[in-house]
Amino acid sequence: MNLAVDVIDENNTSIVTLSGEIDAYTAPKLKETLLPLTKSEGHQTVVDLEKVGYMDSTGLGIFISALKSTKENNSSIRLVKLQDRVLRVFRITGLDEIFTIDHAIQGGE
């Protein structure tokens, strides 16, 4: 399956809307888009995961890299609208405690 990545810039905020699956094959596309957004001081990035039904450890690695970049560049990242199965990955790994996640959980399967 593919991953669609759309970015809308509004003032000092980028809204990244993802659709599809995040795995070893699609992760480079996410990385190319997401990491540069986290390198501008004071910039806010909101990642909408409503249409992501699957994410593996490769995707987690990209989000961890993005979070690290926000700390280094005084920017921020927030994850919104996670489906149950994607949120479960964050919870199992304990990453839900270090990421800002809006718990507008969508149905899942």
Side-chain angles (χ1 to χ4, degrees):
M1 181 151 196
N2 290 327
L3 177 68
V5 180
D6 295 312
V7 179
I8 298 173
D9 292 311
E10 296 179 357
N11 299 321
N12 201 27
T13 301
S14 294
I15 300 171
V16 180
T17 303
L18 305 176
S19 179
E21 295 182 353
I22 304 172
D23 58 21
Y25 297 105
T26 60
K29 184 176 185 178
L30 174 59
K31 184 177 182 179
E32 288 174 13
T33 303
L34 188 59
L35 290 186
L37 297 174
T38 63
K39 296 185 185 286
S40 297
E41 185 171 336
H43 191 79
Q44 299 178 12
T45 303
V46 177
V47 183
D48 182 341
L49 293 152
E50 182 175 15
K51 294 181 181 175
V52 173
Y54 173 81
M55 182 176 68
D56 68 8
S57 61
T58 310
L60 278 180
I62 290 171
F63 284 113
I64 291 168
S65 295
L67 181 63
K68 182 178 177 186
S69 177
T70 63
K71 304 297 182 194
E72 294 171 352
N73 296 291
N74 197 26
S75 58
S76 67
I77 186 168
R78 182 166 47 110
L79 308 179
V80 300
K81 299 180 183 176
L82 282 70
Q83 291 194 25
D84 290 340
R85 63 190 333 193
V86 174
L87 180 60
R88 191 176 320 130
V89 174
F90 281 90
R91 285 184 173 154
I92 289 170
T93 57
L95 293 172
D96 62 319
E97 296 182 15
I98 61 171
F99 276 92
T100 302
I101 299 176
D102 286 351
H103 292 278
I105 302 168
Q106 302 299 312
E109 300 181 44

